[in-house]
Amino acid sequence: MEMDRGALKPYIVVILVQLLYSGMHIISKSALEFGLSPFVFVFYRQAFGAIVLLPFAFVVIRRGSPQLSFMLLLKIFIHALIGITLSLNIYNVALKYTSATVASAFNNSIPVFTFFLAVMMRMEVFKLKSISGLMKMIGITFCVAGIIIIAFYTGAPLMRSMKHHPVSNHQPKHSPSTWIKGSFLMITANIFWSLWLTSQGQLLKEYPSKLLFTTLQTIFSMIQSFLVCLVVERNFAKWELHMDMGLLAVAYSGIVITGLTFYLQSWSVEKKGPVFLAMSTPLAFVFTLIGSFFFFSKATTLGSVLGGAFMVGGLYFVLWGKSMENTTKIVQPCIEEGIVPNEVKEMASSCPKV
């Protein structure tokens, strides 16, 4: 029973991560529509995260922590710049130009980018002639199909939106050019995020303390985001925080996302690899779709449901392919040594357990 619980932990963690991210999409979109600067948002978010993480980091340091070389610090600095500072700033600008549901839907391109980056870095094996490779290809195809459906097909509304809603009244009508610009920026942010996911596994091998690793990234990104604000947002009146949706978004993103979710992601990457975490992103779309209906009064359409179904199907196929690979890695050496009969090989290849 204990083994079963241990095996379920990575799946529970990634579901929790995506649920927390769906909350970030909804709250962040609302804060940006209420006037919060996307660049100031990132700076305060990372500052809140650093405040939360530092006390725990000091406790770990007092107990003893891995040695840090200058080269490793430089790698973590660049890692934070690419995957947090650039990705989050571009993401928030794109979110202002689009919507929470669209942002969450576009995040499902992350598995595609992460998979190909992981293959290029030789972190993932992709053999199209094998059954596991075919399952992965089907999964990736399903994810891409889901993105295309959501982007180009609306369909009939399945649930009617509420006519009067306090948050939805603040949402502007986006022009086609603004929507395209936001979509392009969202894809760019996702590429940076995917690169952050794939390089994180190697950095965690060099510096295995996940808490200190997360804290260092948060501090570096806070400094980097402050410099970005100085250059881009020179109107210091926009740096002020008030008791409104902006403060809630900053606190939630800093404490829950930067402080908790980044740590959970590092744990997940260490246990199951970057593609496993990236392939769970369709779940955030489903959660955001439901939340947007109640919070923004957004109608659920047939295209959104179909796209979400394709993406979740893609998640299943990729995880199925990875499960088949893991089973083969365990059983094959035993077969070659004559320890396990051939019947086991046939069972392992035909009945994988996800």
Side-chain angles (χ1 to χ4, degrees):
M1 192 67 179
E2 291 297 326
M3 290 181 64
D4 292 339
R5 289 179 181 177
L8 283 174
K9 280 183 180 179
Y11 297 91
I12 295 172
V13 167
V14 294
I15 291 172
L16 177 60
V17 165
Q18 300 309 327
L19 184 62
L20 295 175
Y21 269 122
S22 67
M24 183 198 71
H25 294 312
I26 296 169
I27 297 173
S28 298
K29 176 60 179 178
S30 179
L32 293 171
E33 297 303 341
F34 273 88
L36 180 65
S37 167
F39 307 104
V40 173
F41 182 12
V42 176
F43 165 64
Y44 280 127
R45 164 183 169 167
Q46 297 309 102
F48 268 66
I51 291 171
V52 171
L53 289 171
L54 276 172
F56 298 100
F58 281 126
V59 173
V60 174
I61 291 172
R62 289 185 63 181
R63 293 177 178 177
S65 59
Q67 293 295 319
L68 268 171
S69 64
F70 173 78
M71 186 56 65
L72 184 55
L73 271 174
L74 181 61
K75 289 180 181 179
I76 297 175
F77 181 88
I78 296 173
H79 190 247
L81 176 64
I82 294 172
I84 301 178
T85 306
L86 289 177
S87 178
L88 290 182
N89 277 283
I90 295 172
Y91 164 83
N92 279 332
V93 174
L95 181 60
K96 192 170 185 178
Y97 289 158
T98 54
S99 68
T101 304
V102 168
S104 182
F106 269 109
N107 278 358
N108 291 284
S109 63
I110 292 174
V112 180
F113 299 136
T114 304
F115 177 75
F116 285 112
L117 286 170
V119 171
M120 290 173 62
M121 295 180 182
R122 297 183 179 180
M123 299 173 65
E124 282 287 325
V125 177
F126 182 60
K127 297 179 180 179
L128 189 55
K129 294 182 179 180
S130 66
I131 297 177
S132 61
L134 182 60
M135 292 297 104
K136 286 184 177 182
M137 178 56 70
I138 292 173
I140 296 299
T141 303
F142 268 49
C143 283
V144 174
I147 294 170
I148 294 172
I149 290 171
I150 293 169
F152 298 103
Y153 176 68
T154 303
L158 301 180
M159 290 190 297
R160 296 191 177 189
S161 60
M162 293 174 281
K163 294 181 179 179
H164 302 287
H165 198 281
V167 179
S168 61
N169 291 336
H170 285 82
Q171 297 187 80
K173 298 292 183 181
H174 299 289
S175 65
S177 60
T178 301
W179 194 269
I180 293 171
K181 185 191 298 182
S183 300
F184 174 77
L185 289 173
M186 194 67 70
I187 292 296
T188 304
N190 289 344
I191 291 174
F192 283 130
W193 186 261
S194 300
L195 185 59
W196 182 74
L197 286 173
T198 51
S199 58
Q200 189 170 155
Q202 182 59 41
L203 282 175
L204 283 171
K205 292 179 181 178
E206 297 183 42
Y207 196 74
S209 177
K210 294 182 289 294
L211 179 60
L212 294 181
F213 179 73
T214 304
T215 304
L216 285 171
Q217 285 192 97
T218 305
I219 294 172
F220 284 148
S221 62
M222 178 189 69
I223 297 169
Q224 294 161 357
S225 299
F226 176 73
L227 296 176
V228 170
C229 282
L230 287 178
V231 174
V232 179
E233 198 61 80
R234 298 184 180 181
N235 183 5
F236 288 99
K238 292 189 176 182
W239 289 56
E240 297 178 4
L241 287 178
H242 306 281
M243 296 295 293
D244 55 12
M245 189 61 69
L247 181 60
L248 174 62
V250 168
Y252 180 89
S253 298
I255 297 172
V256 178
I257 301 299
T258 304
L260 174 62
T261 307
F262 279 17
Y263 174 80
L264 293 176
Q265 286 182 149
S266 298
W267 184 89
S268 177
V269 169
E270 184 185 49
K271 296 293 182 182
K272 286 286 188 176
V275 174
F276 175 82
L277 175 62
M279 287 305 299
S280 68
T281 52
L283 299 175
F285 170 73
V286 176
F287 298 145
T288 306
L289 190 67
I290 297 170
S292 293
F293 173 77
F294 290 103
F295 198 74
F296 290 121
S297 184
K298 287 290 185 182
T300 302
T301 62
L302 179 61
S304 298
V305 173
L306 285 175
F310 269 83
M311 292 175 188
V312 173
L315 165 66
Y316 176 79
F317 274 107
V318 170
L319 292 180
W320 192 9
K322 287 181 66 65
S323 176
M324 294 174 73
E325 281 184 353
N326 294 336
T327 305
T328 303
K329 287 178 182 178
I330 295 172
V331 175
Q332 188 64 39
C334 298
I335 294 173
E336 292 175 355
E337 294 294 329
I339 301 173
V340 180
N342 289 330
E343 287 80 359
V344 177
K345 180 180 179 181
E346 295 176 2
M347 291 175 61
S349 61
S350 61
C351 304
K353 295 182 180 180
V354 178

